[in-house]
Amino acid sequence: MGIKDVFNERDADLDNIAQNVELYVSRIMHSAKITVDEEGAVASSATVVETESKMEPPIFRANRPFLFFLYDKYTKSVIFAGKYADPK
C-alpha cells in the first residue's frame, strides 16, 4: 500500500494516535479465516498493530505502599482502584 514511514523509528508520525509519546509501528499481524458448509459461510479476521516508543520509559520505583486508580478521563469515573503494599 506504500505506507513506509510508520515503520521507521526516525520518520514515524503517529501524533494523532498518542499525544506526548513518540511512537512507531514495530510489527503488524493479520489473520483471516473463512468456513463454508451446507448452511452458509462464516468469515472472521483480526489485526494487531504493535507500537513502540522512541523515548525511554520513565523509571517508576514502587518502594513504599501506594494507591492507584484507573479512570475514564472524559467522565472522570473510577473504573478500578487498587492498593500496592509490601507483602512482608
Side-chain angles (χ1 to χ4, degrees):
M1 294 180 66
I3 301 171
K4 297 176 185 174
D5 291 346
V6 296
F7 295 98
N8 185 326
E9 185 176 344
R10 184 175 48 95
D11 298 330
D13 181 9
L14 300 174
D15 290 343
N16 290 333
I17 294 174
Q19 296 175 348
N20 303 323
V21 179
E22 295 183 35
L23 297 176
Y24 68 97
V25 175
S26 58
R27 180 166 65 156
I28 296 179
M29 296 177 287
H30 181 79
S31 179
K33 179 181 178 180
I34 186 165
T35 304
V36 180
D37 60 21
E38 296 83 15
E39 296 180 21
V42 175
S44 62
S45 67
T47 302
V48 174
V49 178
E50 292 182 4
T51 60
E52 292 188 30
S53 174
K54 299 179 197 179
M55 303 180 303
E56 285 290 319
I59 295 174
F60 176 75
R61 297 190 198 292
N63 57 3
R64 68 189 78 160
F66 63 90
L67 300 173
F68 59 93
F69 302 91
L70 299 178
Y71 71 97
D72 183 301
K73 72 178 187 177
Y74 298 108
T75 65
K76 306 289 192 247
S77 300
V78 174
I79 299 169
F80 181 83
K83 178 179 89 171
Y84 170 83
D86 190 348
K88 295 178 189 174

